[in-house]
Amino acid sequence: MRIILLGPPGAGKGTQAVRLVERLGIPQLSTGDMLRAAVAAGTPVGLKAKAVMDRGDLVSDDIVVGIIADRIEEADAKKGFILDGFPRTVAQAEAFDSMLAEKGLKLDAVVEFKVDENALVERIVKRAKETEARGEQVRKDDNPEVFKTRLDAYRTQTAPLSAYYQGKGMLKTVDGMEPIDDVTVAVKEILGR
Ligand code: AMP
């Protein structure tokens, strides 16, 4: 299965993606994780992306499209994948569509997480605290100030993807404000597995 999880930062995409990985046995492809790894490794992509990510803006379409094009070629992604945080612009979605078409592959579903934006800042603050409590490094962009920019980027550049996928008859929505287990059930119902 090839699935896209769509929704603002803090909507629960990552949490549900991890559960889908376990259930479906296909990898989670998080462009955010890949970019953070590139930053940590100090690769040319990481060096370009760091400042943009730290301030909460979107990394250029060329960079993320290139990352995904390479990643879906890897052996573990041949059976399918769960995209978490990609695409984030209509240009990325179009590039991804062409990529799939070239390979003769099809998308199975786009699952959008509907959330109350006012609740998201609290979630992000909670996530940062939990990360800290585990003794792990807190993401630099998981703070209320940068979060505003991330949410703005979502509203202006990513939200139009709902209409984009709706137009293709691909869009399904779940209530991301429900408890985590209930969201898991809703996603399962949508995917039929
Ligand atoms: P995330 O972990 O998905 O919240 O992503 C963290 C940051 O990585 C975002 O705020 C962006 O700066 C960058 N990023 C991740 N995915 C994308 C994408 N598909 N397009 C552009 N920037 C991205």
Side-chain angles (χ1 to χ4, degrees), residues 6 108-113 165 169-174 190-191:
L6 191 62
D108 292 284
V110 178
V111 182
E112 182 179 19
F113 291 60
Y165 287 115
M170 300 293 308
L171 192 74
K172 309 278 185 207
T173 58
V174 292
I190 284 173
L191 301 178

Side-chain angles (χ1 to χ4, degrees), residues 84-160:
D84 163 11
F86 178 93
R88 250 177 163 102
T89 64
V90 171
Q92 289 177 23
E94 288 171 346
F96 184 59
D97 277 348
S98 317
M99 219 184 279
L100 291 182
E102 264 172 35
K103 297 178 201 297
L105 302 174
K106 269 179 62 188
L107 198 59
D108 292 284
V110 178
V111 182
E112 182 179 19
F113 291 60
K114 292 271 188 198
V115 284
D116 167 8
E117 287 188 1
N118 296 316
L120 294 178
V121 181
E122 275 171 44
R123 280 195 186 183
I124 289 288
V125 170
K126 191 167 160 237
R127 172 157 91 187
K129 277 189 188 144
E130 286 168 357
T131 305
E132 201 169 16
R134 285 197 302 272
E136 293 167 18
Q137 180 132 32
V138 176
R139 278 173 57 170
K140 233 180 165 174
D141 59 353
D142 265 357
N143 68 70
E145 219 151 89
V146 177
F147 187 75
K148 269 171 103 186
T149 309
R150 292 167 65 199
L151 205 51
D152 268 355
Y154 184 81
R155 283 196 202 108
T156 56
Q157 300 182 76
T158 311

Side-chain angles (χ1 to χ4, degrees), residues 21-75:
V21 167
E22 276 174 24
R23 201 162 76 237
L24 304 177
I26 51 177
Q28 168 192 12
L29 310 189
S30 156
T31 39
D33 284 349
M34 294 179 218
L35 287 166
R36 279 185 288 278
V39 170
T43 66
V45 162
L47 293 176
K48 268 195 205 160
K50 188 180 184 315
V52 181
M53 293 172 75
D54 284 351
R55 62 171 191 265
D57 285 329
L58 293 187
V59 172
S60 79
D61 291 334
D62 286 356
I63 290 183
V64 287
V65 167
I67 289 178
I68 285 295
D70 289 345
R71 184 63 185 88
I72 64 172
E73 283 299 322
E74 286 178 36

Side-chain angles (χ1 to χ4, degrees), residues 5 12-22 26 28 82 84:
L5 303 183
K13 303 185 298 291
T15 304
Q16 296 300 329
V18 169
R19 293 180 172 204
L20 284 168
V21 167
E22 276 174 24
I26 51 177
Q28 168 192 12
I82 302 141
D84 163 11

